[in-house]
Amino acid sequence: GGTSGSGNCSTAKLSSGQGDLFTVGEDGIALPLPWPDPLFPLILVNMGSGVSILRVNSASEGDYERVGGTACGGSTFLGLARALTTAKSFDEALGLAAKGDARRADLLVSDIYGEEGCGALGLPGSLTACNFGKLGEASAANACSECDLARSLLQMVTQQSVLLASAFARHADCIGRVFFVGGFVEEANWLARKAIAANFRSLGGQAYFLRHSDFLGALGSLKGALRVLEGKGQ
């Protein structure tokens, strides 16, 4: 599971003028960070329609491998948002999520064990035990708005990537060097960045974000095309 989310637009938007590398604090504000030293190995999580997770071993060209991924990505969020809410576009779905509270739809650890039980188990009560778990209870389902559903969707998508990335990072001994890139974590989607950073902190890790990271795939394609042209002597 991961930490649950609630809407708080007034403090969650990222500040302007951020550096090339940053994380997001609990208040949702971007916090500039220096590049980690050592940098390698690192985990790169590319979040688009789906999610690919790479382990980058060094700065040498080609010294990386795809270690995993998930089909639960940005298109999952949009597709389910369109099915469950009135949102018709990605921006509309994010707008609903910004006003929602995932705790009204998600079953939390504290809902199962209570605060005292969580303390005895050493688990934060805010951890998500089951995405949309409260919808199985008729009374809770009636109290859940479409904004809450959208926020829970966002939590589900981000939590899947965080859990997978943290597992691969621990295996590579780089839990403090995990970079999230791709169109799903572009500037407009500050909610996803905030959720990813919070969930990763709860797992003892450090999530990094890059300015203009949504162009990473395009830059890679350009580099590949230039390499082909050089090989043809053009």
Side-chain angles (χ1 to χ4, degrees), residues 28-117:
I29 302 299
L31 303 173
L33 292 174
W35 286 87
D37 184 19
L39 179 58
F40 302 103
L42 61 86
I43 294 294
L44 185 71
V45 186
N46 192 353
M47 302 187 70
S49 298
V51 180
S52 284
I53 301 176
L54 310 176
R55 187 183 72 223
V56 183
N57 300 310
S58 74
S60 299
E61 187 169 347
D63 192 14
Y64 68 90
E65 65 176 301
R66 185 181 187 274
V67 293
T70 174
C72 185
S75 288
T76 307
F77 170 69
L78 177 57
L80 287 176
R82 293 185 68 176
L84 297 174
T85 73
T86 58
K88 299 302 180 185
S89 68
F90 193 79
D91 287 342
E92 288 178 4
L94 287 179
L96 290 176
K99 296 180 287 186
D101 187 342
R103 294 172 295 187
R104 295 194 182 102
D106 294 346
L107 189 67
L108 307 183
V109 173
S110 60
D111 295 321
I112 300 174
Y113 298 108
E115 293 300 335
E116 290 186 8

Side-chain angles (χ1 to χ4, degrees), residues 83-221:
L84 297 174
T85 73
T86 58
K88 299 302 180 185
S89 68
F90 193 79
D91 287 342
E92 288 178 4
L94 287 179
L96 290 176
K99 296 180 287 186
D101 187 342
R103 294 172 295 187
R104 295 194 182 102
D106 294 346
L107 189 67
L108 307 183
V109 173
S110 60
D111 295 321
I112 300 174
Y113 298 108
E115 293 300 335
E116 290 186 8
C118 291
L121 293 170
L123 293 173
S126 60
L127 284 180
T128 304
C130 180
N131 298 107
F132 296 101
K134 287 180 181 173
L135 298 189
E137 307 167 5
S139 59
N142 293 333
C144 187
S145 71
E146 67 170 0
C147 294
D148 301 329
L149 292 175
R151 188 57 176 264
S152 184
L153 275 174
L154 191 73
Q155 282 289 101
M156 182 182 73
V157 170
T158 55
Q159 286 171 358
Q160 300 312 304
S161 291
V162 165
L163 289 172
L164 281 173
S166 65
F168 289 121
R170 290 188 189 282
H171 186 264
D173 195 24
C174 61
I175 192 66
R177 298 189 298 276
V178 181
F179 294 74
F180 289 84
V181 301
F184 187 69
V185 291
E186 65 179 354
E187 175 68 22
N189 196 356
W190 54 267
L191 273 176
R193 289 175 169 176
K194 181 182 178 184
I196 288 169
N199 283 310
F200 221 80
R201 276 193 300 272
S202 74
L203 296 172
Q206 175 68 70
Y208 288 93
F209 302 96
L210 294 157
R211 190 159 57 99
H212 306 315
S213 67
D214 44 320
F215 294 102
L216 184 63
L219 290 172
S221 297

